[in-house]
Amino acid sequence: NQKEIQTTNFQNDFDQEDDLLLIFKKIFFRRKKLIYTIAISLIITGNSYIFLKRIFAPIYEGQFALLIADPISNNADQTSLTGSNKLFENIASNTTDNDIPTLIELLKSPIILVPIAEKYNLKYKNLKERIKIDTGGTDFKEAKGILNIRLSGSNSLRHKSLLKELSEAYLQISLEQRQQKLSDGLAFLNKQAPILRSKLNSIQSEISIFRKDNKLLEPFLEGGAIKDEIAKIDGEIFQISDERDRLLKAKNEIINGKISINGFKQAIGLGSITASAGQTQGLSISDSEQATIQELNKINIELAKLRSKFKPSSSIIRGLEIKRDNLLPLLKKSQLEAVNTALKLNESRQKTLLNKKEELKNKFTEKPELIKKYQFLSQNLAIQQQNLSGLIKARENLQLQLAQRNFPWKIIYPPKINLERIKPSLSRSFIVIFFVSSLLSIIGAIIRDKFDNVFHSDEEIKEDLKLPILGIFPYVKLLLNAREEKSVIFDFLSENEKEDNPTISKYEKFFFQESLRNIFTSIRFLNVDKPLKIIALTSSIPKEGKSLLSILIGKTIADLGKKVLLIDGDMRKPQLHQRIGLDNIVGLSNYLTNNKKSVDDFIQETEYVENLKIMTSGTKPPDPIRLLGSNKLDTLFTELRESEEFDYIIIDCPPTIGMSDVNLLADKCDGAILIVLKGAVNRALAKNSIENLKTNGANILGIISNSKSEKLKSSDSYYSYEYGYGYGYGYTYSAYLDENEKNKDENKINKFQKFINPLKKVSKRFFDFLDN
């Protein structure tokens, strides 16, 4: 379903585009004379103006080029001046990238152009508009450092002098701006120098106070010395720990009796002790212990010698063994005491080193904050020193530049006038005029078609009103003359049907008669479901040919042998009696107000057509609506419908717009036919007429298309008051105005028309020519 909806939407969009294209095609073909006339007129006028202007008021152009940026010196400056030196010079001299739009505004500003304009008696605005400035060179458009200045003018000699004056003014303003900028920059640097010196002195004082308070010269070096001392202490602590492990091992061996006298010396590190030292790492051997050791050594040596001579059980050996055994406990005790003493000394030494290490660590912990602060002060000092040095160098450079008065800009292309005309350009102007003229002509055609919202063809009538066209009545010039002369239509027709009267041709007479017969044929073939006997003919507005067609259709049907009754239903503005040449003493209004007489007493015969009878509108009533809404009208229609005296009854009804008369009449008829005058009636009015008829129950049979002119000349004559109707969304009859009021209105209208009619005639003829 969604796919079908999308397909439907696409089809609707396509249909809308197709409808728009069709509308534009219709407008083009309908208004092509208007389009061609406007386009050709504008093209001829525009090109004539351009051609004359090119001959008598040509525009010349002169130009020169300025180099506003020197790429060589700029590159040198970039390499020679860096850091704070370049920074201060840029700030002081306000050196930034060229802001081309701002620069162009400056060059076209009043401060430069007004003196030149006054010298040459020109207006500043005029001179500004003549100056065009853009960037780029002749070979490379990317050359933003070049300004091309173009000046247009009509007098070549004066133009050249003005161009030269402009170039000199630009050079002078560049020098003035440069000198002013350098002066301002130098003043800025002179103002900044004391501030920088003050900041430098302040930072130097802070560093001096910092060293004095912290008793430091260089925190970086002193921090490194502390770190080396801590490493040295760590090495000593490691040695003490190693010695403690050795003493503990020796103590365990002494307790277990696993160590010999010489092994004890090696275990505690006395093997390498010199006689004069007699101690190692807090462990010392007293003289008594030394003597005991020597005595034990002698006993052991003696036992070794005697065992080779005596038995183990001998008294000498036993005596030496007893002596040895008595000395060993004493030596063991002495050794344990020595080892314990050494362990205590070792532990004390280790604690001392650890405390010293902790002190150094605490002292080193304070160093990063001091180093950070010292580093911050040192960096600020270096920056201020660099800034002051850069400021001094920048000031010296600006002073040197200020002493020089060379122009910062250079003229690389001297002022020159091009003797060829640049404006107006014939080729460009022709293209622009052609397209503008085409566009304006199309817009004019659309506007004209919008305001001339009338029907131009039978296809448009059928398409817009959605009703069948029963017949097409052609333009007949003699009928237009008959209306203007207010002649009796039958006399007029009989006079022009004579063979010796060439007013109407056989060709025109054939189509005239054939169109009326076709209308009757269409009406006759509409009689399918129920008989059509009483037919109402009406139109949207007056002057669409309603009364005339009613007479002609009635005459045509009567000529074909049918009996026809023609009733004038317009009691406000009756026309039939004048067109047929009858009196209007009694008629429809008299019948509706008289209950005694028969309908035959109000019907008149005409001597021109045998089977045609007429009922005129009768005396003008004060309120036609009341009469048309009476039961007597129903009685009349019933009597006529049941009567066999007439085959067709045609009622000439009033217009539909602004009045309800036709609704009361058409509702009682078998069918209603709307007459539409091409080129005259507004489309909206015709649609409103159909809606009104349908709303009031009328059976609309179809439409008769009438042609007001041979080429469908549009007319707005139905806007006037001469036919008794006022145009608007409703129609009012002037017939009900008092005579005095009517005369006043007619006098006002006549005065206005005397003034406006000639203009209307001229404009009408012009638009008729364009619309045809």
Side-chain angles (χ1 to χ4, degrees), residues 48-89:
S48 299
Y49 171 77
I50 295 298
F51 184 74
L52 293 174
K53 189 175 180 181
R54 186 174 176 85
I55 294 176
F56 297 104
I59 300 298
Y60 301 95
E61 185 180 72
Q63 63 180 0
F64 63 92
L66 286 175
L67 179 65
I68 61 173
D70 189 352
I72 299 176
S73 62
N74 284 344
N75 292 336
D77 291 342
Q78 291 293 338
T79 55
S80 62
L81 294 176
T82 57
S84 61
N85 299 344
K86 186 63 179 176
L87 175 64
F88 272 101
E89 185 171 353

Side-chain angles (χ1 to χ4, degrees), residues 248-519:
L248 289 173
K249 183 178 179 182
K251 182 179 179 180
N252 291 330
E253 289 179 351
I254 291 171
I255 293 172
N256 296 327
K258 296 181 179 180
I259 189 170
S260 63
I261 296 173
N262 293 328
F264 172 73
K265 292 180 179 181
Q266 293 177 354
I268 63 175
L270 295 176
S272 61
I273 299 177
T274 60
S276 61
Q279 63 180 5
T280 178
Q281 300 294 330
L283 181 63
S284 62
I285 300 175
S286 64
D287 293 337
S288 59
E289 291 174 351
Q290 188 74 13
T292 303
I293 292 172
Q294 291 178 356
E295 182 67 23
L296 284 172
N297 286 333
K298 289 180 179 180
I299 293 173
N300 288 330
I301 294 171
E302 187 68 23
L303 281 173
K305 291 179 178 180
L306 292 176
R307 281 192 181 109
S308 63
K309 295 179 179 181
F310 300 97
K311 293 181 180 181
S313 59
S314 66
S315 58
I316 297 173
I317 292 174
R318 287 293 299 170
L320 290 173
E321 289 179 349
I322 292 170
K323 189 179 179 178
R324 186 194 62 183
D325 293 338
N326 291 329
L327 290 174
L328 285 175
L330 295 175
L331 181 61
K332 183 176 180 180
K333 181 180 178 182
S334 177
Q335 289 177 343
L336 288 174
E337 290 177 356
V339 170
N340 289 330
T341 301
L343 286 172
K344 290 179 180 180
L345 292 173
N346 182 281
E347 183 178 359
S348 176
R349 176 67 177 168
Q350 188 176 23
K351 288 181 178 180
T352 301
L353 291 174
L354 288 173
N355 291 333
K356 187 177 181 180
K357 179 181 178 182
E358 189 66 26
E359 291 176 1
L360 291 175
K361 279 186 177 181
N362 293 334
K363 191 175 182 180
F364 184 78
T365 304
E366 298 175 357
K367 291 298 180 182
E369 292 296 328
L370 297 176
I371 291 172
K372 182 178 179 182
K373 186 174 181 180
Y374 181 79
Q375 187 177 12
F376 175 75
L377 294 173
S378 299
Q379 288 176 351
N380 284 345
L381 179 64
I383 291 172
Q384 295 301 327
Q385 289 174 342
Q386 187 178 9
N387 288 343
L388 184 60
S389 175
L391 184 144
I392 294 172
K393 290 182 180 180
R395 185 169 60 183
E396 292 174 354
N397 191 17
L398 289 182
Q399 289 173 344
L400 177 61
Q401 293 181 29
L402 189 60
Q404 300 172 350
R405 293 191 59 83
N406 55 330
F407 292 104
W409 293 355
K410 295 180 181 179
I411 296 179
I412 57 176
Y413 292 104
K416 184 180 180 181
I417 301 296
N418 185 5
L419 297 179
E420 293 183 2
R421 301 177 178 91
I422 62 166
K423 289 182 180 179
S425 174
L426 295 180
S427 57
R428 183 182 302 173
S429 299
F430 177 78
I431 294 173
V432 172
I433 291 172
F434 176 78
F435 282 106
V436 171
S437 301
S438 301
L439 179 62
L440 291 178
S441 62
I442 293 173
I443 293 174
I446 294 174
I447 294 174
R448 176 58 183 164
D449 198 76
K450 180 68 176 178
F451 284 98
D452 185 33
N453 191 21
V454 296
F455 294 107
H456 300 87
S457 65
D458 302 318
E459 289 78 10
E460 291 181 1
I461 296 174
K462 185 176 181 180
E463 182 179 350
D464 283 11
L465 303 183
K466 310 299 182 184
L467 288 173
I469 296 179
L470 303 179
I472 301 171
F473 191 72
Y475 169 76
V476 181
K477 188 176 181 180
L478 68 91
L479 296 179
L480 182 62
N481 296 334
R483 180 180 182 87
E484 293 174 353
E485 297 173 7
K486 295 184 179 181
S487 306
V488 177
I489 188 63
F490 296 135
D491 290 340
F492 198 81
L493 290 175
S494 60
E495 181 68 22
N496 284 278
E497 285 177 354
K498 296 179 180 179
E499 295 181 359
D500 57 347
N501 192 335
T503 303
I504 180 170
S505 64
K506 293 181 178 180
Y507 180 82
E508 188 176 14
K509 180 181 178 181
F510 170 77
F511 280 101
F512 164 66
Q513 294 176 345
E514 194 65 26
S515 63
L516 293 171
R517 291 171 183 168
N518 289 335
I519 291 172

